[in-house]
């Protein structure tokens, strides 16, 4: 029977260890794509991803492999995103598999992201097949990496394939191991339908396309399906597989991985991790692990040109079609005008959305510094949620402020442990544990305010460890902190988009630093601009952006016509990312200045 020949697996790896290259090789070897059609990194379908080299959206491809035993096997290769912002999606796509190829770079060895993904794979009871990749590199040390895998992860690596995805070494052996070692799917074909949604995407012709793994039962076109989290029902229009282009099928059965369309209009209805069943023969229990994803980080998005406001809304709506985690609602800033408070899973998600808005929709945007979500208990007993620092109530009305905390796990070579601990202490971290993974590397675990992580923690971590440290974090809950709102005034007026929430102990220094940084970033204008930092009504720092000197401007605007034109053009370029706030021109950088301070 069919299930015996199905193998569902993922590839897990640290960024750059060769996941996409290996996936391409596997596709090539199974002749799923003609060589000449072979486009580098086929699984990453968006341009942006290819450029950034990060896999964001999941995907699943069906391959046929003729094994040495003479049988044809059906492989489903399920792609996983590789960044902390997308951990939940990784976990759901792993739940769709029975096995995982663990790709480790033969020169780099195990990294934090490798470990994090391995733990997710182990949580999902997957068979893990280690692959030591890049053995062609002169610095490759497969024996050491093999030892590391056994020592750190605690799985048998004696049969780890030594491979080079780049030169095509070891690919056959990997495919044979998948046949031999990855368990065939279990699951009763005659039971009521139980299918896991592990990805969804919006298609303008077919509506939402769901990527599913059928755990039990069968799904066919014409049946009424039901989403177990919200009870919504839809008629199944089409089922099929990707190979890699979509191929329609008559049914998908227990063990299969494929897609379903059902004229579903909104992706918010079809959250990753949800269970599909049939309306007239439902399963009793949903698959475990469903979680609604909520944004963790909020920022204001404003068009540079206020006439782009409607375009911004439409663009956000378009992106939201394909991104159930993206949230936005209108907000007004005194400084920036009309815009949207936008919620993201994390900083990478935020970067990606901003880039797509600018690149795909041609918008010029000003983004305010990201903020976490605060819980504020007011003196009148009411608890409010604050996702925009400028909305923080006045100090006199605040009883206490709680902020989200994360558990941060930092993997770092021995020599840099001191530097990492210094950094964490400076970022209000509480030390939890430290484990020596081997003689070279240490896992340092801290509990830290999430707000400190979104300020330039990652960059600082990298620069303090020559790039060797890697970071993983998870939110663990809310804790009370001694926080205050820090305001910035230009020309005596509060610029709401510059307001931030800071720890009282850091407020004074942050205010001073921010004021002097803004002085550097905001270009001189025709008049003098006082910059002040305040807490409540108290001014804690003050500086001045000097005016142009008259003779300089006179010279600038003199000269011949062509030079003057050039100058105007240049100014126009520069203006792109400037926003006039009152009479002051403020560049985008200024809004992010608060992120890069100690
Ligand atoms: P993300 O998509 O960013 O998660 O990275 P990835 O893990 O998919 O890595 P990718 O396949 O993009 O490979 C990263 C880099 O390593 C690329 O420049 C590849 O050409 C290179 N690479 C992959 N496999 C090998 C290999 O076997 N040998 C050598 N020398 N380089 C390799």
């Amino acid at each position: 029977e069919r299930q015996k020949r199905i193998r569902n697996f993922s590839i897990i790896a640290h960024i750059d260890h060769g996941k996409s290259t290996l996936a391409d090789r596997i596709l090539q070897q199974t002749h799923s794509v003609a060589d000449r059609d072979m486009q580098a990194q086929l699984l990453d379908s968006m341009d942006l991803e290819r450029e950034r080299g990060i896999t964001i959206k999941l995907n699943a491809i069906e391959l046929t492999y003729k094994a040495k035993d003479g049988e044809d096997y059906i492989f489903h290769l399920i792609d996983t995103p590789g960044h902390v912002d997308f951990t939940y999606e990784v976990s759901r796509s792993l739940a769709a598999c029975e096995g995982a190829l663990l790709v480790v770079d033969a020169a780099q060895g195990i990294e934090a992201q490798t470990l994090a993904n391995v733990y997710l794979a182990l949580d999902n009871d997957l068979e893990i097949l280690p692959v030591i990749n890049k053995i062609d590199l002169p610095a490759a040390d497969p024996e050491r990496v093999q030892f590391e895998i056994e020592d750190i992860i605690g799985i048998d690596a004696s049969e780890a394939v030594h491979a080079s995805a780049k030169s095509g070494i070891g690919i056959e052996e990997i495919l044979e191991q998948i046949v031999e070692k990855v368990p065939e799917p279990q699951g009763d074909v005659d039971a009521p339908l139980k299918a896991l949604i592990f990805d969804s995407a919006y298609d303008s012709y077919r509506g939402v396309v769901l990527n599913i793994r059928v755990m039990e039962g069968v799904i066919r076109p014409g049946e009424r399906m039901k989403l177990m989290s919200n009870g919504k029902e839809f008629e199944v229009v089409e089922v099929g597989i990707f190979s890699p282009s979509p191929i329609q099928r008559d049914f998908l059965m227990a063990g299969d991985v494929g897609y379903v369309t059902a004229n579903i209009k909104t992706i918010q209805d079809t959250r990753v991790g949800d269970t599909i069943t049939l309306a007239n023969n439902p399963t009793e229990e949903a698959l475990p692990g469903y979680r609604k994803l909520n944004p963790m980080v909020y920022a204001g998005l404003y068009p540079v040109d206020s006439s782009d406001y409607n375009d911004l809304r439409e663009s956000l709506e378009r992106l939201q079609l394909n991104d159930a985690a993206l949230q936005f609602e209108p907000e007004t800033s005194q400084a920036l005008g009309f815009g949207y408070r936008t919620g993201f899973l994390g900083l990478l998600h935020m970067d990606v959305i901003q880039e797509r808005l600018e690149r795909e929709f041609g918008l010029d945007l000003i983004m305010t510094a990201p903020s976490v979500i605060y819980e504020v208990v007011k003196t009148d007993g009411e608890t409010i949620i604050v996702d925009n620092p400028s909305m923080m109530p006045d100090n006199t009305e605040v009883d206490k402020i709680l902020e989200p905390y994360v558990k941060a796990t930092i993997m770092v070579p021995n020599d840099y442990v001191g530097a990492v601990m210094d950094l964490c202490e400076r970022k209000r971290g509480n030390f939890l544990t430290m484990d020596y993974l081997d003689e070279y590397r240490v896992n340092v675990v801290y509990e830290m305010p999430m707000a400190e992580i979104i300020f330039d923690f990652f960059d600082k971590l990298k620069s303090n460890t020559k790039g060797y440290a890697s970071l993983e974090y998870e939110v663990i809950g809310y804790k009370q902190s001694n926080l205050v709102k820090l305001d910035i005034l230009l020309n005596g007026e509060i610029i709401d988009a510059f307001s931030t929430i800071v720890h009282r102990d850091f407020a004074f220094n942050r205010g001073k630093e921010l004021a002097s940084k803004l002085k550097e970033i905001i270009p001189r204008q025709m008049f003098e601009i006082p910059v002040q930092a305040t807490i409540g009504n108290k001014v804690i720092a003050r500086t001045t952006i000097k005016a142009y000197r008259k003779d300089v401007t006179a010279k600038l605007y003199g000269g011949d016509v062509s030079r003057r034109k050039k100058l105007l053009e240049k100014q126009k370029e520069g203006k792109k990312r400037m926003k006039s706030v009152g009479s002051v021109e403020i560049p985008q950088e200024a809004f992010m200045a608060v992120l890069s301070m100690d």
Side-chain angles (χ1 to χ4, degrees):
E1 73 129 333
R2 184 182 157 83
Q3 277 186 351
K4 282 206 165 57
R5 294 184 297 112
I6 297 180
R7 298 292 181 273
N8 297 318
F9 66 99
S10 283
I11 307 177
I12 55 182
H14 186 75
I15 288 168
D16 275 351
H17 284 197
K19 186 175 84 177
S20 309
T21 314
L22 179 62
D24 289 346
R25 280 287 171 189
I26 291 177
L27 260 59
Q28 214 176 12
Q29 196 98 350
T30 53
H31 307 292
S32 300
V33 241
D35 282 355
R36 69 188 142 77
D37 288 345
M38 178 80 186
Q39 195 187 5
Q41 315 214 334
L42 208 111
L43 278 178
D44 299 346
S45 52
M46 290 194 297
D47 275 1
L48 188 63
E49 286 179 39
R50 203 168 298 139
E51 262 171 51
R52 295 176 150 253
I54 326 163
T55 312
I56 298 159
K57 264 298 168 193
L58 311 171
N59 244 315
I61 293 188
E62 181 168 301
L63 319 164
T64 313
Y65 174 61
K66 191 170 205 62
K68 287 195 177 133
D69 64 11
E71 293 270 352
D72 277 338
Y73 287 87
I74 302 160
F75 283 2
H76 294 124
L77 167 54
I78 294 162
D79 200 16
T80 54
H83 190 275
V84 285
D85 286 5
F86 305 102
T87 303
Y88 174 70
E89 293 190 341
V90 176
S91 146
R92 292 305 84 198
S93 54
L94 291 177
C97 304
E98 277 78 31
L101 298 176
L102 168 64
V103 177
V104 185
D105 183 309
Q108 304 280 324
I110 289 174
E111 308 262 7
Q113 192 78 55
T114 323
L115 265 190
N117 285 329
V118 167
Y119 292 143
L120 292 177
L122 291 171
D123 283 347
N124 283 295
D125 290 326
L126 303 194
E127 181 69 30
I128 296 174
L129 312 183
V131 173
I132 301 172
N133 189 34
K134 306 200 189 183
I135 56 159
D136 58 298
L137 289 177
D141 189 351
E143 278 71 35
R144 180 177 70 87
V145 172
Q146 181 171 326
F147 176 76
E148 258 186 30
I149 295 172
E150 296 190 334
D151 199 41
I152 298 173
I153 302 176
I155 58 173
D156 179 13
S158 59
E159 293 181 27
V161 181
H162 291 201
S164 166
K166 195 171 168 186
S167 345
I169 301 168
I171 311 300
E172 183 89 31
E173 199 183 334
I174 293 171
L175 296 173
E176 284 297 319
Q177 284 202 4
I178 292 169
V179 170
E180 265 168 51
K181 294 185 175 174
V182 175
E184 62 189 63
Q186 307 294 321
D188 186 354
V189 180
D190 301 318
L193 178 68
K194 202 182 251 193
L196 169 74
I197 302 177
F198 64 89
D199 186 21
S200 59
Y202 186 82
D203 178 298
S204 38
Y205 297 106
R206 295 181 287 187
V208 177
V209 179
L210 301 172
N211 272 272
I212 62 160
R213 158 68 196 269
V214 184
M215 296 299 185
E216 286 175 358
V218 182
I219 183 167
R220 294 183 186 82
E223 287 172 329
R224 263 200 103 62
M225 61 172 238
K226 180 170 146 185
L227 300 170
M228 293 193 68
S229 70
N230 56 19
K232 294 201 175 165
E233 297 184 10
F234 302 91
E235 186 179 314
V236 178
V237 173
E238 188 182 317
V239 302
I241 56 115
F242 292 107
S243 178
S245 19
I247 297 175
Q248 228 170 304
R249 288 277 162 84
D250 296 335
F251 60 88
L252 295 173
M253 58 171 249
D256 278 333
V257 173
Y259 70 85
V260 174
T261 66
N263 272 323
I264 304 171
K265 296 286 176 246
T266 53
I267 205 155
Q268 268 68 22
D269 283 342
T270 57
R271 294 286 188 143
V272 165
D274 200 357
T275 304
I276 298 178
T277 191
L278 292 183
N280 57 8
N281 182 20
T283 179
E284 278 172 16
E285 220 184 329
L287 294 159
Y290 175 68
R291 218 172 72 195
K292 192 168 174 221
L293 280 190
N294 293 313
M296 299 291 185
V297 175
Y298 283 80
L301 274 177
Y302 293 85
V304 169
D305 181 348
S306 52
S307 64
D308 285 344
Y309 178 75
N310 282 329
D311 287 350
L312 174 58
R313 195 197 61 242
E314 275 167 28
S315 309
L316 281 167
E317 279 168 358
R318 290 266 294 282
L319 288 182
Q320 203 178 36
L321 285 176
N322 263 311
D323 189 341
L326 175 65
Q327 292 186 8
F328 60 94
E329 55 184 59
E331 75 170 359
T332 318
S333 151
Q334 272 165 5
L336 298 177
F338 294 108
Y340 290 95
R341 177 103 322 218
T342 314
F344 310 95
L345 292 176
L347 289 190
L348 177 75
H349 190 212
M350 181 178 100
D351 276 359
V352 169
I353 296 292
Q354 186 187 11
E355 245 180 273
R356 292 190 63 186
L357 286 168
E358 289 177 349
R359 197 173 331 178
E360 294 170 28
F361 299 95
L363 292 165
D364 284 327
L365 299 171
I366 295 288
M367 184 176 245
T368 65
S371 162
V372 297
I373 304 163
Y374 297 94
E375 276 177 28
V376 181
V377 182
K378 301 211 294 186
T379 40
D380 63 10
E382 190 194 358
T383 299
I384 58 168
I385 301 297
V386 174
D387 62 16
N388 178 349
S390 72
M391 307 299 269
M392 185 62 79
D394 196 73
N395 254 338
T396 54
E397 293 170 37
V398 172
D399 177 22
K400 58 183 177 187
I401 304 177
L402 291 83
E403 63 176 334
Y405 263 70
V406 299
K407 187 172 124 189
T409 304
I410 298 152
M411 189 190 285
V412 66
N414 241 332
D415 300 348
Y416 299 105
V417 170
V420 167
M421 293 181 71
D422 271 356
L423 177 65
C424 292
E425 303 285 339
R426 268 189 285 134
K427 300 290 185 182
R428 300 194 279 138
N430 298 321
F431 174 79
L432 292 180
T433 57
M434 184 158 99
D435 292 318
Y436 278 82
L437 298 167
D438 55 28
E439 35 185 322
Y440 314 103
R441 271 157 331 150
V442 186
N443 240 347
V444 185
V445 185
Y446 268 84
E447 190 182 81
M448 300 175 77
M450 187 170 172
E452 298 294 341
I453 296 244
I454 67 174
F455 286 160
D456 65 340
F457 182 78
F458 191 62
D459 291 343
K460 283 250 158 57
L461 182 66
K462 286 284 179 191
S463 64
N464 287 352
T465 61
K466 295 216 166 74
Y468 280 116
S470 46
L471 166 74
E472 266 282 313
Y473 65 83
E474 58 177 321
V475 179
I476 49 173
Y478 275 75
K479 288 190 181 197
Q480 185 179 352
S481 294
N482 191 0
L483 302 171
V484 291
K485 181 165 79 148
L486 175 68
D487 289 318
I488 295 288
L489 285 71
L490 295 184
N491 263 341
E493 297 221 18
I494 291 188
I495 306 297
D496 56 1
F498 281 140
S499 297
T500 49
I501 309 287
V502 293
H503 194 268
R504 192 178 289 278
D505 294 349
F506 300 162
F508 186 73
N509 280 336
R510 282 248 166 106
K512 257 174 76 172
E513 233 187 299
L514 188 53
S516 65
K517 209 151 184 183
L518 289 173
K519 181 183 166 177
E520 269 170 47
I521 295 175
I522 297 176
R524 291 182 176 204
Q525 331 241 333
M526 304 296 282
F527 46 87
E528 201 174 87
I529 308 164
V531 182
Q532 293 162 295
T534 63
I535 295 170
N537 295 323
K538 220 169 78 203
V539 177
I540 57 165
R542 191 202 150 92
T543 170
T544 305
I545 301 169
K546 294 228 169 64
Y548 283 127
R549 280 206 317 241
K550 281 246 165 59
D551 51 338
V552 175
T553 31
K555 231 181 227 159
L556 267 174
Y557 290 101
D560 64 286
V561 182
S562 74
R563 265 196 61 194
R564 191 162 163 199
K565 242 190 191 158
K566 235 187 215 159
L567 195 72
L568 284 176
E569 243 152 77
K570 245 197 177 148
Q571 278 184 339
K572 227 163 115 195
E573 258 320 284
K575 251 196 198 130
K576 264 184 120 176
R577 296 299 220 89
M578 294 263 208
K579 185 89 186 168
S580 335
V581 173
S583 46
V584 184
E585 295 265 292
I586 304 178
Q588 161 77 65
E589 292 177 81
F591 296 97
M592 292 293 168
V594 63
L595 290 189
S596 49
M597 290 191 307
D598 275 315

